[in-house]
Amino acid sequence: MDIVGSLGRDPPERGSPEDGRLSRWVAPLPTALEDVAYRFVWGIVAINLLGTAFGFWYYRFQFGLVPVEMWPFVPDSPGATLFIALAFASWAVGRSNDTLAVLAFFGNVKLGLWTPYVLVVFYPAFLANTGPALYAFLFVSHLGMVVQAFAIHRMTDFPVRAVAVATAWYTLDLLMDYFVPVIGGVTHTSLPYRDGLPWFTTTVLQVAAAGAVVLTVVPLFFALWTRVETLRRRTELKTDGAEDGRS
């Protein structure tokens, strides 16, 4: 039985740092780990769909607290895992979609880092409310979202239009979560403290929002950096090819 043929495809080509292509900063995962993700891509899709289902269940009470029109802004992490499941599935059937891939990259980096951030900053109440097992699961599984995000460069070169769409969506989501909700109140993930509770020199809401703002910029930086490195790689390959043609 062809397990790879059933669960995935041969991975797309990857430029290695050693031959002057993508640097380890924008492609930090070992090639072998990226290859596994693509060869068993349907397993990755299934895991992310299960994570999405769990996430919607986790947000079940919060959905009841906001108007239906604001529901798309509530399930942040489940939305990110749904994006990456759809991005990998699209690649697996030979219909790669740059916009889905870049949305997945933004979401999995941003939410994969933001959740551990608030789990650590507000750990006394989070730990008390969730218990050690769920707390550890949330922490580790969200870091796993960041890891899988850095395999996405194999299926997209981060075109500017797709980066613009992802930036617009996650900026809008940021505004709805913390600053200017159009209908009802803000839609950020429920925190184990009141939003206005003093925390350090500010409030709980502002501490959570500060992390969200910074972590909206981080994937944008990496996406554009990857785009620049991809263009540099193409230029080098064209230059090398031209020199070979003249020799």
Side-chain angles (χ1 to χ4, degrees), residues 68-81:
V68 173
E69 295 86 346
M70 300 299 286
W71 281 9
F73 303 106
V74 172
D76 293 328
S77 293
T81 53

Side-chain angles (χ1 to χ4, degrees), residues 59 62-63 66-77 168-178 180-183 185-189:
Y59 281 94
Q62 195 170 345
F63 281 120
V66 300
V68 173
E69 295 86 346
M70 300 299 286
W71 281 9
F73 303 106
V74 172
D76 293 328
S77 293
W169 169 251
Y170 278 103
T171 299
L172 178 62
D173 181 66
L174 179 68
L175 293 173
M176 297 300 104
D177 276 355
Y178 297 100
V180 286
V182 176
I183 303 173
V186 291
T187 56
H188 65 80
T189 300

Side-chain angles (χ1 to χ4, degrees), residues 54 58-59 76-78 81 107-117 119 135-148:
F54 171 80
Y58 185 86
Y59 281 94
D76 293 328
S77 293
T81 53
N108 280 264
V109 172
K110 176 181 177 177
L111 283 311
L113 292 174
W114 181 85
T115 300
Y117 163 73
L119 285 173
Y135 182 93
F137 170 76
L138 291 172
F139 193 94
V140 173
S141 63
H142 280 80
L143 290 179
M145 291 169 61
V146 183
V147 173
Q148 66 180 357

Side-chain angles (χ1 to χ4, degrees), residues 54-120:
F54 171 80
F56 277 96
W57 174 84
Y58 185 86
Y59 281 94
R60 65 195 185 283
F61 297 118
Q62 195 170 345
F63 281 120
L65 301 176
V66 300
V68 173
E69 295 86 346
M70 300 299 286
W71 281 9
F73 303 106
V74 172
D76 293 328
S77 293
T81 53
L82 180 59
F83 279 143
I84 203 166
L86 293 175
F88 274 116
S90 297
W91 173 84
V93 298
R95 299 179 65 87
S96 292
N97 185 294
D98 288 317
T99 300
L100 271 178
V102 179
L103 281 166
F105 179 80
F106 269 63
N108 280 264
V109 172
K110 176 181 177 177
L111 283 311
L113 292 174
W114 181 85
T115 300
Y117 163 73
V118 294
L119 285 173
V120 169

Side-chain angles (χ1 to χ4, degrees), residues 132-213:
L134 182 55
Y135 182 93
F137 170 76
L138 291 172
F139 193 94
V140 173
S141 63
H142 280 80
L143 290 179
M145 291 169 61
V146 183
V147 173
Q148 66 180 357
F150 280 98
I152 288 175
H153 73 91
R154 298 279 288 270
M155 70 172 78
T156 181
D157 58 2
F158 292 88
V160 172
R161 180 176 297 180
V163 172
V165 170
T167 302
W169 169 251
Y170 278 103
T171 299
L172 178 62
D173 181 66
L174 179 68
L175 293 173
M176 297 300 104
D177 276 355
Y178 297 100
F179 302 106
V180 286
V182 176
I183 303 173
V186 291
T187 56
H188 65 80
T189 300
S190 295
L191 300 169
Y193 298 103
R194 290 182 294 105
D195 284 353
L197 184 72
W199 201 265
F200 296 104
T201 60
T202 180
T203 66
V204 165
L205 180 63
Q206 289 173 325
V207 170
V213 170

